[in-house]
Amino acid sequence: MAEGEFEFIARRLRPLAAGTPGALRLLDDAALLDPPEGAQLVLTKDAMVAGVHFLADDPAAQIGQKLLRVNLSDLAAMGAEPIGYLLSIARQRETSEAWLESFCRGLAEDQAEFGIGLLGGDTVSTPGPVTLSLTAIGQVPRGQALLRSTAEEGDDLYVSGTLGDGALGLKVLLGELSLNAAATVFLADRYRRPQPRLALGRALRGLAHAAIDISDGLLADLGHVLEASDLGAEVWADRLPLSLAAREAADAALEAALAGGDDYELLFTVPADRRAKVVRLASELELPLTRIGRLDVMPGLRVLDADGQPIHLDRTGWTHF
Amino acid sequence: MAEGEFEFIARRLRPLAAGTPGALRLLDDAALLDPPEGAQLVLTKDAMVAGVHFLADDPAAQIGQKLLRVNLSDLAAMGAEPIGYLLSIARQRETSEAWLESFCRGLAEDQAEFGIGLLGGDTVSTPGPVTLSLTAIGQVPRGQALLRSTAEEGDDLYVSGTLGDGALGLKVLLGELSLNAAATVFLADRYRRPQPRLALGRALRGLAHAAIDISDGLLADLGHVLEASDLGAEVWADRLPLSLAAREAADAALEAALAGGDDYELLFTVPADRRAKVVRLASELELPLTRIGRLDVMPGLRVLDADGQPIHLDRTGWTHF
């Protein structure tokens, strides 16, 4: 480890760990964590590569926040509450101090927002693109984690928030789609700073049969639930919740909502006799929860239009099942 | 995530998680871990970049093993027993199936050797060098973790095994040093497959005052202990344990032992009235434990030759304190 990396840890990362007792001020080989009583730990790890998972000219503060939030979204999908995280940064010699300062400032803001702290990690040099990896740790009451494999026949299918915004935001940022200024700003922010649905995930414990977060696209992620639960589903395309900004994109909006990915909304299944509870929950959380389909035992996944006719798509999202 | 990455997880990673119940067959968003009773969890995360932390033509099986072992070495330094790990792989489009198969086979062998399993992780594409990040999770009885900050004045200073082999192994592999065949093979293996001193770490709980693993070099890592414990030390250069192979390298051996890094031996401090216990432990573990110096309150770190005269070095290892 070059001297610059010790300094980086001392100057940039130690302040992020200051409020995390188990981080031991990042002075030790590893972090110490007191496991919560009566809980299971939930662990997830996601990596991001510059130019692949984020744009090299994205604001550095938002890159750190996106990395943290996509991991927190995985915790939300299991119904877990976040505890802390570990971070690996592979940075280039050319990575500027200003970039690193902004990256860490973004993390500090999100730590405050989500009530968590840095537990540990490391920093290395790379001749390639900046590569980030984050491990998030959460807790869930024993036996109450939401899984993908426990959906049941007849369950209603719901999503939170609106779909397709992240994928459209990326298109806008890449110059592949041109929209008005308000829509551009809204969609770019949805792409760069997804909102992990932690409060929703907690509330779905004991209410939903199964849950997943939408990172690969609605159809792909629903496919994971169907595969794990050995069920089929129909999805009602005209019910998909679209933001006003997404509607500006016309036809591209439906495609983004079905197969775009980068939504980080929760997709969950609930038995039909609990519909009133879902309506109440949406009101409590001030978050749209939209019923978009139904699970059944017919293998496969059918997307239906407003007349109940199947829509055929040939998108990445379809190839997984 | 491209389709190839789902297949990669299913074909290569799922078998590594087959024996880890909390991995949920890698079908869920995150892993579930039942925290052990009466224990604290120990968490560490290290990354490696091709061309920086390993050689692009290193055998793939040994790259996976080295990544796992350097993390297990961090657990050993805290006196922890390993539970499992999460893995991120950023691979190139050109990364061959054979390389990935070998990489995962190496991990499978080490999982069996160390009694752990894969808990989760992800795989992404990168246009840059292969970049790997691993988070290892261990446990330690509550309050018994070995720290860097708890060394005391008058403690004896010990190291396990032999020093400098890893750094010399790298020199041999880079063609910067030419030795006989037996020494070459031995040192290359020490560089590629360090041996995490897990049994030693466990045995040092309640015996050692402080411990660290030597990854950055003896002097650098001792510097971390001194800084954290607010002490100074003297190190007796003629007592440093060198392997027969390292001795072949003559003068380069001492330099490698002091400042080379990549040893993954444990450096630990023990009060002088426990010397007999350390001797007994070395015998039980069949592992050399060598007393190489002493902690005191004089600030700084003094390396002394056989006549007690200070040796002045101008190495990276020296610049940290």
Side-chain angles (χ1 to χ4, degrees):
Chain A
M1 196 188 275
E3 187 185 29
E5 287 158 8
F6 290 112
E7 282 172 359
F8 176 74
I9 289 172
R11 283 186 54 202
R12 305 280 181 212
L13 298 186
R14 193 160 294 151
L16 292 175
T20 331
L24 305 169
R25 297 178 55 225
L26 305 183
L27 286 175
D28 268 281
D29 289 283
L32 270 180
L33 186 69
D34 283 299
E37 287 286 324
Q40 289 176 301
L41 288 164
V42 184
L43 299 154
T44 185
K45 188 175 199 312
D46 278 308
M48 297 193 342
V49 180
V52 181
H53 303 90
F54 57 91
L55 304 175
D57 60 354
D58 278 345
Q62 294 180 8
I63 293 169
Q65 292 177 333
K66 179 157 187 177
L67 176 64
L68 182 58
R69 289 163 180 234
V70 301
N71 278 281
L72 294 182
S73 181
D74 283 330
L75 297 186
M78 304 277 283
E81 292 160 65
I83 295 175
Y85 67 103
L86 297 95
L87 176 67
S88 282
I89 305 173
R91 62 195 178 113
Q92 300 174 303
R93 278 178 209 288
E94 308 81 51
T95 304
S96 72
E97 283 299 309
W99 193 94
L100 292 165
E101 196 275 333
S102 169
F103 177 84
C104 292
R105 184 167 36 77
L107 287 173
E109 286 174 13
D110 267 10
Q111 287 188 186
E113 175 160 352
F114 299 111
I116 58 174
L118 182 69
L119 278 163
D122 73 338
T123 169
V124 297
S125 284
T126 179
V130 171
T131 302
L132 307 162
S133 170
L134 192 144
T135 301
I137 298 144
Q139 60 175 302
V140 65
R142 193 177 309 278
Q144 291 188 36
L146 296 166
L147 303 178
R148 300 177 180 183
S149 56
T150 44
E152 293 186 20
E153 181 189 350
D155 278 358
D156 289 330
L157 188 65
Y158 290 89
V159 292
S160 64
T162 54
L163 298 182
D165 298 329
L168 293 171
L170 177 59
K171 276 186 191 293
V172 165
L173 287 167
L174 291 174
E176 294 173 4
L177 182 67
S178 181
L179 297 176
N180 66 49
T184 297
V185 169
F186 175 85
L187 296 173
D189 187 63
R190 288 276 284 161
Y191 169 72
R192 287 174 168 162
R193 290 207 308 169
Q195 190 61 45
R197 299 301 184 188
L198 289 158
L200 174 61
R202 281 195 300 271
L204 290 177
R205 299 192 305 236
L207 174 61
H209 278 159
I212 191 172
D213 72 323
I214 304 177
S215 54
D216 298 327
L218 170 64
L219 297 181
D221 289 307
L222 176 54
H224 298 321
V225 172
L226 298 180
E227 185 193 11
S229 298
D230 199 20
L231 290 171
E234 59 180 51
V235 170
W236 309 319
D238 61 316
R239 303 278 189 95
L240 298 183
L242 302 178
S243 65
L244 286 175
R247 288 180 196 278
E248 295 282 322
D251 288 351
L254 180 62
E255 187 182 300
L258 285 167
D262 258 322
D263 290 307
Y264 302 101
E265 296 293 346
L266 296 190
L267 171 70
F268 55 98
T269 83
V270 181
D273 61 6
R274 296 179 189 165
R275 277 183 201 164
K277 289 184 179 170
V278 177
V279 171
R280 228 167 19 240
L281 180 59
S283 165
E284 280 166 25
L285 297 175
E286 298 180 18
L287 177 68
L289 301 177
T290 309
R291 188 155 60 90
I292 62 161
R294 183 170 51 204
L295 302 197
D296 54 41
V297 292
M298 199 191 308
L301 197 169
R302 284 137 272 130
V303 181
L304 306 179
D305 66 16
D307 301 319
Q309 296 303 306
I311 297 177
H312 292 286
L313 290 176
D314 184 20
R315 297 285 307 163
T316 314
W318 282 97
T319 65
H320 303 303
F321 43 87
Chain B
M1 196 188 272
E3 186 182 28
E5 286 158 9
F6 289 113
E7 283 172 359
F8 176 75
I9 289 172
R11 284 184 54 201
R12 305 280 181 211
L13 297 186
R14 194 159 293 151
L16 293 174
T20 330
L24 305 170
R25 298 178 56 226
L26 305 184
L27 286 176
D28 267 281
D29 288 285
L32 270 181
L33 186 69
D34 282 299
E37 286 287 323
Q40 290 176 299
L41 287 164
V42 184
L43 299 155
T44 184
K45 189 173 199 312
D46 278 309
M48 296 194 342
V49 180
V52 181
H53 304 89
F54 57 91
L55 305 175
D57 60 353
D58 279 346
Q62 294 180 7
I63 293 169
Q65 292 176 333
K66 179 157 187 177
L67 177 64
L68 182 57
R69 287 163 180 233
V70 302
N71 278 282
L72 294 181
S73 180
D74 284 329
L75 297 186
M78 303 276 284
E81 293 160 65
I83 295 174
Y85 67 104
L86 296 95
L87 176 67
S88 282
I89 305 173
R91 63 194 178 112
Q92 300 174 303
R93 280 180 207 288
E94 309 81 53
T95 304
S96 72
E97 283 299 308
W99 192 95
L100 292 165
E101 195 276 334
S102 169
F103 177 84
C104 291
R105 184 167 35 76
L107 287 173
E109 286 174 16
D110 267 10
Q111 286 189 187
E113 175 160 351
F114 299 110
I116 58 174
L118 181 68
L119 278 164
D122 73 337
T123 169
V124 297
S125 285
T126 179
V130 171
T131 302
L132 307 162
S133 169
L134 193 144
T135 302
I137 298 145
Q139 59 176 301
V140 65
R142 192 178 310 277
Q144 292 188 37
L146 297 166
L147 303 178
R148 299 178 180 182
S149 56
T150 43
E152 293 186 18
E153 180 189 352
D155 278 357
D156 290 330
L157 188 65
Y158 289 89
V159 291
S160 63
T162 54
L163 298 183
D165 298 329
L168 293 171
L170 176 59
K171 276 187 192 292
V172 164
L173 288 167
L174 291 174
E176 294 173 5
L177 181 67
S178 181
L179 298 175
N180 66 48
T184 298
V185 169
F186 175 85
L187 296 173
D189 187 62
R190 287 275 286 163
Y191 170 70
R192 287 174 169 163
R193 289 208 308 168
Q195 191 61 45
R197 300 300 185 189
L198 289 158
L200 173 61
R202 281 195 299 271
L204 290 178
R205 298 193 305 235
L207 175 61
H209 277 159
I212 191 172
D213 72 323
I214 304 178
S215 54
D216 299 326
L218 170 63
L219 298 182
D221 288 308
L222 176 54
H224 297 320
V225 172
L226 298 180
E227 185 193 9
S229 297
D230 199 19
L231 290 171
E234 59 181 50
V235 170
W236 310 318
D238 61 315
R239 305 279 189 93
L240 299 183
L242 302 178
S243 66
L244 286 175
R247 288 180 196 280
E248 295 282 323
D251 288 351
L254 180 60
E255 187 181 301
L258 285 167
D262 258 322
D263 290 307
Y264 302 102
E265 297 293 346
L266 295 190
L267 172 71
F268 55 98
T269 83
V270 181
D273 61 5
R274 296 179 190 166
R275 277 183 202 165
K277 291 185 178 171
V278 178
V279 171
R280 238 180 356 254
L281 179 60
S283 166
E284 282 167 21
L285 297 176
E286 299 180 19
L287 177 69
L289 301 176
T290 309
R291 188 156 59 91
I292 62 161
R294 184 170 49 205
L295 301 198
D296 53 40
V297 291
M298 199 190 308
L301 196 169
R302 285 135 272 132
V303 181
L304 306 179
D305 66 15
D307 301 320
Q309 297 303 307
I311 298 177
H312 292 287
L313 289 176
D314 184 20
R315 296 286 306 160
T316 312
W318 281 97
T319 65
H320 302 303
F321 41 86

